[in-house]
């Protein structure tokens, strides 16, 4: 069965207001015409695109040699006529599809063809309308309110037997769609269920909706969280310093309910906040004596389990340690490895800064850390 797809793309896209023809505007890294051709090519033996005059070569280099490019006309109907002329009589069915509907699916095209194969002469997709539609006169007065349940918003691709479309285009009328010409011949036009994703790009706002369909299931649900922690250096010289999942021999430790690992604690709070799952205090506070002296790594593991149970995976965490000592640089990789290990291998970055002698960290009274976490819904 020979199936041709005609894609009128000869418009200038006045309402979109780009300084190039609408079909050449990009949606997610691909032009609208490339999207439309990619969706229709799997069901087509011939694809004919009507390009705006002067842009034919640009269309050819974008679409490759498999696609026939003709010069479009002044109106959409003229553009379709120009494309139709290139088709031979061996074609059984012709689908006419607007470049302005880049995301109409291959599946929709297949459903149209199925109806043509079952014997219909003309098949078009349509959606029920949500708004009440009224007919008005030139003075702005309502002349009629058609019953909404009987109305459909019509999309493309529209499918026809070759004979039907050729006969319809012998008419001198100019319709906004090809089915309009077929209706004038009193040939029945069947409406099947269209698709939301076959939306037409007319104004810049339409891109927002189109993106949603384009990205589809690939859209990831990201959550970001923030956490900070601070501890004072201990007056007990025998207390060891635990920081970023490591022990730091020769450094003064900090006071605290747990091991006082400010970097690990800030990361824990960032993760819990991203997962909307409370904070360190609400999970492991003083009411849970079993966590007294818990290591930073142990808390990170516990928090990872909470984040996991809440339905998220850790995308990355980033922590900055604020203080004069210890110097983080020489053990940065060790710290990253320790924190990442506690988080099941999640990407971690560790940075450090001093505060130019200012504040409790600058005065050498203690250490603080600030962390962000990015998590993704599973
Ligand atoms: N079209 C065409 N030839 C024309 C006019 C329109 O092939 N002379 C095509 C458009 O490129 C588009 C489809 O018909 O793929 C539907 O038209 P529309 O959405 O109105 O696009 P434009 O005419 O380009 O936009 P505007 O009306 O805002 O200028
Ligand atoms: Mg137009």
């Amino acid at each position: 069965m020979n199936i041709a797809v005609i894609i009128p793309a000869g418009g200038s896209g006045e309402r979109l207001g780009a300084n190039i023809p609408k079909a050449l505007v990009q949606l997610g890294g691909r032009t609208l015409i490339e999207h439309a051709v990619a969706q229709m090519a799997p069901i087509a033996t011939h694809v004919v695109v009507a390009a705006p005059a002067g842009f034919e070569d640009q269309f050819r280099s974008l679409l490759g040699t498999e696609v026939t490019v003709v010069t479009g006309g002044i109106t959409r109907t003229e553009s379709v006529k120009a494309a139709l002329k290139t088709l031979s009589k061996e074609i059984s069915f012709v689908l006419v599809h607007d470049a302005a509907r880049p995301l109409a699916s291959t599946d929709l095209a297949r459903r149209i063809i199925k109806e043509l194969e079952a014997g219909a002469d003309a098949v078009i997709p349509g959606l029920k309308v949500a708004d009440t539609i009224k007919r008005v006169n030139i003075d702005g007065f309502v002349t009629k309110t058609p019953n909404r349940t009987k109305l459909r918003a019509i999309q493309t691709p529209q499918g026809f037997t070759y004979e039907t479309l050729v006969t319809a285009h012998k008419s001198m009328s100019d319709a906004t769609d090809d089915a309009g010409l077929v209706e004038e011949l009193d040939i029945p036009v069947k409406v099947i269920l269209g698709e939301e994703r076959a939306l037409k790009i007319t104004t810049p706002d339409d891109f927002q909706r189109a993106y949603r369909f384009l990205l589809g299931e690939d859209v990831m649900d990201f959550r970001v969280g923030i956490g900070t922690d601070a501890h004072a250096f201990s007056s007990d010289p025998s207390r060891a310093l635990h920081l970023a999942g490591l022990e730091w021999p020769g450094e003064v430790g900090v006071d605290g309910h747990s091991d006082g690992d400010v970097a690990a604690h800030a990361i824990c709070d960032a993760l819990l906040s991203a997962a909307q799952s409370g904070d360190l205090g609400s999970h492991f506070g003083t009411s849970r004596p079993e966590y007294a002296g818990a290591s930073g790594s142990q808390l990170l593991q516990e928090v990872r389990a909470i984040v996991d149970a809440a339905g998220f995976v850790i995308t990355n965490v980033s922590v900055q340690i604020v203080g004069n000592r210890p110097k983080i640089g020489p053990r940065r990789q060790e710290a990253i490895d320790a924190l990442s290990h506690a988080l099941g291998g999640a990407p971690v970055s560790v940075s450090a800064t001093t505060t130019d002698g200012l504040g409790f960290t600058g005065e050498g009274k203690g250490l603080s850390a600030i962390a962000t976490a990015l998590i993704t819904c599973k």
Side-chain angles (χ1 to χ4, degrees):
M1 195 72 88
N2 284 325
I3 297 170
V5 176
I6 288 175
I7 309 185
S12 60
E14 220 173 286
R15 287 168 289 176
L16 190 60
N19 51 8
I20 50 172
K22 182 159 73 178
L24 294 177
V25 171
Q26 302 243 339
L27 170 69
R30 245 176 167 189
T31 59
L32 300 191
I33 186 64
E34 286 173 280
H35 279 292
V37 169
Q39 294 288 347
M40 294 301 127
I43 51 89
T45 42
H46 297 71
V47 178
V48 187
V49 171
F55 288 88
E56 299 87 339
D57 286 342
Q58 201 173 331
F59 272 61
R60 280 188 194 107
S61 64
L62 262 182
L63 302 175
T65 50
E66 298 279 287
V67 173
T68 306
V69 175
V70 299
T71 307
I74 297 169
T75 61
R76 180 188 183 280
T77 311
E78 290 300 324
S79 294
V80 175
K81 274 190 184 26
L84 195 51
K85 277 196 195 119
T86 69
L87 299 182
S88 68
K89 289 202 174 65
E90 283 97 73
I91 299 290
S92 310
F93 304 138
V94 187
L95 268 55
V96 185
H97 178 46
D98 289 341
R101 298 185 190 271
L103 302 181
S105 72
T106 315
D107 174 66
L108 178 59
R110 283 204 182 98
R111 289 193 286 117
I112 300 273
I113 293 165
K114 217 167 148 192
E115 295 291 335
L116 293 168
E117 283 171 345
D121 287 319
V123 185
I124 62 177
L127 292 178
K128 288 184 177 168
V129 292
D131 295 323
T132 294
I133 309 250
K134 293 186 191 285
R135 190 188 276 266
V136 292
N137 64 19
I138 51 166
D139 300 318
F141 288 94
V142 174
T143 55
K144 198 171 173 14
T145 302
N147 179 346
R148 189 175 67 193
T149 60
K150 292 188 175 167
L151 293 174
R152 297 291 179 271
I154 297 303
Q155 306 174 315
T156 69
Q158 301 190 344
F160 310 93
T161 61
Y162 175 79
E163 286 305 325
T164 304
L165 191 64
V166 168
T167 312
H169 271 273
K170 282 186 181 141
S171 144
M172 285 295 123
S173 326
D174 185 34
T176 51
D177 72 347
D178 302 87
L181 300 175
V182 172
E183 290 153 33
E184 285 176 15
L185 304 174
D186 282 333
I187 294 175
V189 175
K190 177 155 190 185
V191 178
I192 66 163
L193 183 64
E195 295 179 326
E196 295 286 349
R197 61 174 294 146
L199 81 160
K200 186 169 164 195
I201 305 256
T202 307
T203 64
D205 289 346
D206 297 326
F207 278 93
Q208 212 57 29
R209 264 186 79 211
Y211 268 118
R212 257 181 279 144
F213 288 108
L214 183 64
L215 298 173
E217 267 108 64
D218 295 340
V219 178
M220 291 206 245
D221 187 359
F222 290 116
R223 307 288 169 88
V224 68
I226 187 167
T228 64
D229 193 32
H231 282 286
F233 283 123
S234 177
S235 52
D236 174 1
S238 69
R239 206 167 150 87
L241 177 68
H242 298 274
L243 183 63
L246 303 176
E247 205 172 314
W248 299 74
E251 298 287 342
V252 182
V254 297
D255 291 324
H257 164 62
S258 58
D259 70 351
D261 184 335
V262 290
H265 297 175
I267 294 173
C268 285
D269 266 347
L271 285 166
L272 292 169
S273 97
Q276 294 174 289
S277 299
D279 54 27
L280 271 182
S282 63
H283 288 280
F284 314 107
T286 41
S287 61
R288 304 279 302 273
E290 68 271 30
Y291 285 102
S295 73
S297 301
Q298 191 187 338
L299 292 179
L300 285 168
Q301 285 170 34
E302 300 273 356
V303 165
R304 182 185 161 225
I306 293 168
V307 168
D308 183 67
F312 297 97
V313 287
I314 301 169
T315 304
N316 83 302
V317 301
S318 186
V319 64
Q320 184 178 43
I321 295 159
V322 187
N324 299 339
R325 294 189 61 84
K327 293 290 166 227
I328 303 298
R331 298 189 70 190
R332 189 195 310 272
Q333 193 55 51
E334 252 185 284
I336 289 171
D337 293 344
L339 294 169
S340 176
H341 179 73
L343 292 173
V348 173
S349 54
V350 174
S351 59
T353 188
T354 56
T355 54
D356 205 16
L358 297 171
F360 74 91
T361 49
E363 289 162 12
K365 291 182 181 163
L367 278 174
S368 73
I370 180 164
T372 54
L374 188 69
I375 60 176
T376 311
C377 201
K378 284 192 262 193

